[in-house]
Each structure stands twice: as structure tokens, then as C-alpha cells.
Amino acid sequence: MSRTDASAAPRQGAHLASGISISDVSHSYGAQGGSGVLALDGINLEIGDGEFHCLLGPSGCGKSTLLYLVGGFIPVQSGTISTAAGLVTAPGPDRSIVFQNFALFPWKTVKDNVLYGLKKAGYPSAEREPRAQRYIDMVHLTGFENAYPSQLSGGMQQRAAIARTLAVDPGILLMDEPFGALDAQTRRVMQEELRAIWRESRKTVVFVTHDVQEAVFLADRISIMSARPGRIQHVIDVNLPKDRGEEILENRDFIGLSEHIWRLVREQAVAATRGVH
Ligand code: ADP
């Protein structure tokens, strides 16, 4: 589908939310054929259309590796990953990633950062400006269009990075601990905003975190991964109200589910420190 089509139907976007099918994916770093580090072992996972899915597990269990494989940033060695656009073999316009460290150009303003993404994605020049503004407004950075990243707080920088990523309208948004560098309070606000943005934009989101509360707050479903080599140990449905604000933290179901998941993750973290799984 061309970019002109995307602009003709901006609410739907060129890249509709798509499910992700991960089938028997394993991944080793280093030497091929045995002596490398086995980071992922036989991952099978179906992520639904428009789902908010969190990958949760101890540090080093392969969450980022799985995310980068879905993004096509590292080649799939074994097994298959597919989306509505077909088999994943490389990065594609249907998938975009937000990293922990914002990845904004420091010499460009907020608006120029967003415009750059649109230009790179091939949007016609007449559409870039209104589109950039719409997404800057969506992440509540109206009034900061001409600010440089160094003039913004960490939370604002991350909102700008999210605007840049959302503006190109990927069907699938990949997020690698995007709030990991933020203080606790800003992080909470960003989590609420991200869920609101997700509900409005109807993307499929795959979100990597090692924070149980963050995963339960954000997700529809959570995959708990084992210590290395990463395997999917549990896939848990989060049956909480779709509208989630701070009050959900007091909700008994939220607290109960968080404790349950915390115990499952802890088992993996203990296994990781003992080198057994
Ligand atoms: P997580 O995101 O869960 O912290 P990663 O996917 O970053 O885990 O890493 C999984 C494992 O693969 C870790 O043991 C890590 O040290 C290893 N690893 C990650 N990237 C590389 C790399 N480029 N080269 C070698 N080993 C790597």
C-alpha cells in the first residue's frame, strides 16, 4: 500500500494493526552451530491483532532479542515470524521500535524529529506538517514543537520519540523498556498516556519490561519468559478494566494478579542466579 493511500485514510493508517505469529524461534549469539550463547529456545507465541502484549522476565532472558527478531533488526536463524505483511525477514514499515534511550536527533527540534521520520517513511511533503502536528498533540507536546531534546525532560523526550514512531503509522509498535530511564512518577504518567494512546491508535504493541507492575498495568496479555535460554513459561491474560488509571493500583484483582505474576517471575530470577532452569 502506498503512502498516498495512508494519507487518504489517516485514521485507519497504511499499516493496520496486525497479529504476530512466532513459531519455533530459537536464537544463538556468537558461533553458529553450537558453541554460541543460546538466547532463545523454541519460542511459540501468537499475538493478536491490536493486542497490548508484554514480554516479562529477568534480565538476560532474551526479551530484547525476541523484540529485535520481530522487528527484523536481527535475522531469524531458526523458526518463523510472520505478520499480516508476510514473513519477517527484515525491518519493514509495518513495524516500528521505541528504545529506552529516546533515540532523538539532539540537533533537531521536536517537530523536525517527527518530520524526519515521516520523510524517511516516504510521506509526501504536503502531508508531513499536519501529520507531525497531530501526533505531537496526541502525546501532549503542543507548544514544544520548536524545543530541542536537551530542553525537554526525560518524559517529554520519550513522548517525542513515541510521536515520531506513531506518526509513520506502523501497525505494530515494538517497545524496548521505553520508560526504563525515567523516574518512577514520570514513568507512571507515561504508562497511563501510552495506554490511552494505544486505545486511540489501535496498534498491536509488544512491550518489553522486567517490571511486573508495569506489565500488569499495560498489558492485555503477558508472556513470562524463563531465564536464559529464554522460553515462554506462562502466557497470562490480564482481565482488568480497559480504562486503567492510577486507581487500578488499589484494585484487588490488580494486586492479586501482580503478586501471582511476581512469584512466577521470581522463580525465573532465582533460577537465573543459580544457573538452573
Ligand atoms: P533481555 O532483553 O531479556 O535482558 P537480551 O535479549 O538482551 O535479554 O539478551 C539475551 C542473552 O543474549 C543475554 O545473555 C545476553 O548477554 C546475550 N546477548 C544479547 N545480545 C548479544 C550480542 N550482541 N552478542 C552476544 N550475546 C548477546
Side-chain angles (χ1 to χ4, degrees):
M1 193 179 282
S2 77
R3 285 296 172 196
T4 318
D5 294 330
S7 61
R11 280 308 292 120
Q12 274 73 43
H15 307 287
L16 297 176
S18 150
I20 304 166
S21 189
I22 301 170
S23 180
D24 216 12
V25 166
S26 298
H27 192 86
S28 300
Y29 288 104
Q32 294 279 343
S35 57
V37 173
L38 183 62
L40 294 174
D41 188 20
I43 303 288
N44 288 290
L45 183 62
E46 296 290 327
I47 297 176
D49 229 4
E51 177 176 332
F52 201 124
H53 195 100
C54 279
L55 298 176
L56 180 68
S59 188
C61 75
K63 303 181 293 295
S64 301
T65 301
L66 186 54
L67 198 75
Y68 298 159
L69 285 165
V70 172
F73 304 111
I74 47 180
V76 177
Q77 296 168 345
S78 160
T80 57
I81 300 177
S82 54
T83 68
L87 217 53
V88 171
T89 54
D94 60 325
R95 286 157 283 132
S96 286
I97 192 158
V98 178
F99 296 100
Q100 180 171 344
N101 290 320
F102 318 138
L104 293 170
F105 295 123
W107 61 89
K108 285 184 188 288
T109 63
V110 166
K111 184 174 270 184
D112 285 344
N113 265 284
V114 180
L115 287 170
Y116 174 83
L118 290 168
K119 186 175 178 193
K120 203 162 151 265
Y123 279 82
S125 54
E127 287 165 27
R128 289 180 214 149
E129 184 80 23
R131 200 171 174 86
Q133 191 62 52
R134 183 176 139 218
Y135 284 89
I136 288 169
D137 294 345
M138 187 190 265
V139 299
H140 306 301
L141 283 177
T142 316
F144 293 92
E145 292 84 354
N146 298 319
Y148 289 89
S150 62
Q151 297 171 305
L152 303 176
S153 68
M156 291 164 92
Q157 288 182 48
Q158 194 56 300
R159 291 211 294 267
I162 290 170
R164 187 176 66 182
T165 304
L166 285 176
V168 301
D169 212 3
I172 298 170
L173 187 58
L174 307 171
M175 307 189 90
D176 191 11
E177 305 218 36
F179 308 143
L182 305 178
D183 62 86
Q185 223 169 346
T186 308
R187 193 174 174 141
R188 167 70 55 218
V189 172
M190 291 296 296
Q191 288 164 358
E192 284 185 37
E193 288 193 359
L194 176 62
R195 247 196 93 85
I197 289 169
W198 166 72
R199 293 201 66 195
E200 190 184 332
S201 62
R202 311 301 312 149
K203 307 292 179 198
T204 303
V205 180
V206 187
F207 188 106
V208 163
T209 182
H210 60 261
D211 182 326
V212 172
Q213 217 186 37
E214 179 165 73
V216 178
F217 183 85
L218 288 172
D220 288 328
R221 284 200 309 155
I222 299 173
S223 286
I224 300 178
M225 293 178 66
S226 66
R228 202 182 75 206
R231 301 187 179 106
I232 305 285
Q233 294 292 85
H234 309 274
V235 180
I236 295 186
D237 288 319
V238 180
N239 293 314
L240 291 169
K242 291 278 178 201
D243 260 329
R244 294 177 205 168
E246 207 162 3
E247 71 291 341
I248 198 95
L249 303 178
E250 312 289 325
N251 179 307
R252 284 177 54 176
D253 293 339
F254 178 91
I255 294 168
L257 184 60
S258 299
E259 284 173 357
H260 172 61
I261 291 177
W262 172 244
R263 281 193 291 274
L264 296 175
V265 172
R266 191 171 176 281
E267 283 169 15
Q268 297 309 319
V270 169
T273 56
R274 293 188 183 150
V276 292
H277 6 276

